[in-house]
Coordinates of all heavy atoms in Angstrom, one line a residue:
S5 N 89.9 101.7 136.9 CA 89.6 102.2 138.3 C 90.4 103.3 138.7 O 90.2 103.8 139.8 CB 89.9 100.9 139.2 OG 91.2 100.5 139.2
R28 N 121.3 101.2 104.5 CA 121.0 102.0 103.3 C 121.0 100.9 102.1 O 121.5 99.9 102.1 CB 122.1 103.1 103.1 CG 123.4 102.5 103.1 CD 124.5 103.6 102.8 NE 124.3 104.7 103.9 CZ 124.9 104.7 105.1 NH1 125.7 103.7 105.4 NH2 124.7 105.6 105.9
A109 N 86.8 118.2 107.4 CA 85.6 119.1 107.5 C 86.1 120.6 107.9 O 85.7 121.5 107.4 CB 84.6 118.6 108.3

Side-chain angles (χ1 to χ4, degrees):
S5 63
R28 58 179 53 86

